[in-house]
Amino acid sequence: MLDSVRRLENQKGPIGVGPFETFRLHLNDTRGVSQIQTGRGYFGSFSDLTCFPAARFEACEVTAIAAVMAPWGVLMAADGRMTLDDATKATASEDLLLKETEHAQKILPIIEPARTVMWGLIGSIGNEDFSLDLRDEIKRHALALSAQEFGTPREYVIALGKLVARAITGARWFPDTGTKSERGCQIARAVFGGCFGSLVRMGIVEFCHSDEVARAHLLEYLEGPMTSQRCFGPRAITDQMYDHLGNPLPDGPLAQYASALNANPLVSEARRFAVGYIEACCSPEGRRLDPEGCKKIGGHIHAATVKPRSGFQWIILPTSEEQ
């Protein structure tokens, strides 16, 4: 396969620190990288053709999240386990230790008259004492933007990402997560999906820091009505569920959790795909295959949909108080 080709676009937004960088991914070589991309979808003019895979699986050992965009809207599912890292836990107060739970709500709905969007966070979500919590920052800054009008959904996502990045910089939170790229040291990623009026959109925002400044990067921006799937979880689990084209492995040890999607899946089929992926990461079979990668994944699975007419709806309720 060809090496990935990325075009960097610096887009000026109304608020924020530094440029918001947009990467258009065309094709990705799966050799030696922690992600698999399968299939291809197209949008844009033929003079500026952008290609995105129908299915993409990204390695992550701190949470499991799956999202499906289809012509009818977006579905997202997540596990419910939240843990502190060993260094934080060693000196944590009793109140901070209570943050560890099997019932964390990782899907965050933003419901406004002009748009309904849900977010799922992957990676570090707060500083050591949680005085800065990315979940709270997304909700707080989404509220600040709720009365503003934007020309496109992309502009809204860019503006929200910049505000959250500015809050990270203001809190002087620059964790060394060990995941680095030319964009800086990765703090977290956020997969978003929802409806902006009748427009269905999904994508991935990455929060990074370098030189003591946090920035937001729009890694992917997908437009409906194409069907796409994005999954985050242990790579060993993905390898035992799907082949390099994204087809379920019928004889694999996790075959009962794998599911294929067509170009216009039913909501029930999208649910089976997304929830099945989370269930595989939490399953006894999955833990035997990758005990280290799956140990921070578990708890109560929750899932929701966003559709143009019905808006945000839980299809598996969370059990936290954040509902």
Side-chain angles (χ1 to χ4, degrees):
M1 296 178 66
L2 297 174
D3 289 333
S4 59
V5 180
R6 294 179 294 184
R7 185 191 312 165
L8 175 62
E9 299 178 335
N10 288 333
Q11 301 192 14
K12 296 181 179 179
I15 305 173
V17 177
F20 193 109
E21 298 170 352
T22 303
F23 292 86
R24 294 184 173 181
L25 307 181
H26 290 252
L27 276 175
N28 197 60
D29 188 342
T30 62
R31 294 168 295 182
V33 297
S34 61
Q35 59 193 26
I36 302 175
Q37 299 185 345
T38 64
R40 281 182 285 179
Y42 302 91
F43 65 84
S45 67
F46 284 101
S47 61
D48 187 18
L49 190 63
T50 303
C51 165
F52 283 108
R56 179 173 175 177
F57 302 89
E58 294 202 22
C60 175
E61 296 184 349
V62 295
T63 195
I65 291 180
V68 177
M69 182 177 72
W72 43 258
V74 179
L75 182 148
M76 192 178 296
D79 75 304
R81 178 168 294 174
M82 181 173 171
T83 60
L84 303 174
D85 61 62
D86 293 338
T88 300
K89 192 182 300 187
T91 59
S93 65
E94 186 175 341
D95 288 342
L96 188 55
L97 289 173
L98 292 176
K99 293 284 187 180
E100 292 198 312
T101 178
E102 297 290 280
H103 305 282
Q105 183 179 324
K106 297 182 179 180
I107 298 173
L108 310 175
I110 305 297
I111 302 171
E112 301 169 355
R115 53 196 161 256
T116 301
V117 187
M118 54 186 169
W119 294 77
L121 284 165
I122 305 104
S124 300
I125 65 166
N127 57 8
E128 289 188 358
D129 61 359
F130 277 83
S131 58
L132 178 85
D133 188 321
L134 293 186
R135 298 170 298 176
D136 295 337
E137 294 301 322
I138 288 175
K139 290 186 284 188
R140 180 167 71 91
H141 293 299
L143 179 62
L145 295 176
S146 61
Q148 292 191 32
E149 295 185 2
F150 295 89
T152 65
R154 180 194 291 263
E155 291 177 6
Y156 168 77
V157 173
I158 287 172
L160 181 54
K162 285 183 174 182
L163 285 172
V164 174
R166 188 168 72 174
I168 295 171
T169 300
R172 310 296 297 168
W173 182 45
F174 308 119
D176 184 2
T177 61
T179 303
K180 298 181 180 180
S181 70
E182 69 277 9
R183 299 181 296 276
C185 182
Q186 184 185 99
I187 300 170
R189 286 168 291 175
V191 56
F192 69 88
C195 298
F196 300 77
S198 62
L199 303 177
V200 179
R201 298 291 184 266
M202 188 171 77
I204 300 170
V205 175
E206 180 186 58
F207 297 101
C208 291
H209 69 86
S210 62
D211 300 322
E212 297 189 344
V213 175
R215 295 178 177 86
H217 307 272
L218 185 58
L219 298 186
E220 276 196 318
Y221 181 78
L222 306 176
E223 299 182 0
M226 65 183 288
T227 295
S228 294
Q229 307 98 53
R230 297 295 179 266
C231 298
F232 301 83
R235 178 64 181 270
I237 302 303
T238 298
D239 289 345
Q240 296 297 326
M241 293 181 70
Y242 298 96
D243 65 17
H244 68 287
L245 295 177
N247 301 311
L249 297 173
D251 300 321
L254 299 174
Q256 62 179 309
Y257 303 104
S259 179
L261 293 181
N262 59 31
N264 188 13
L266 300 173
V267 174
S268 59
E269 294 170 330
R271 170 178 171 158
R272 188 161 56 246
F273 172 88
V275 174
Y277 181 77
I278 311 301
E279 288 177 336
C281 296
C282 301
S283 68
E285 299 94 335
R287 297 190 190 284
R288 283 194 293 270
L289 286 167
D290 189 359
E292 188 65 24
C294 293
K295 72 178 182 180
K296 294 184 178 180
I297 299 170
H300 178 73
I301 297 173
H302 50 298
T305 58
V306 174
K307 301 178 184 177
R309 291 191 177 184
S310 56
F312 177 86
Q313 292 183 325
W314 289 112
I315 56 174
I316 302 177
L317 282 166
T319 57
S320 72
E321 296 179 355
E322 297 174 75
Q323 295 181 44

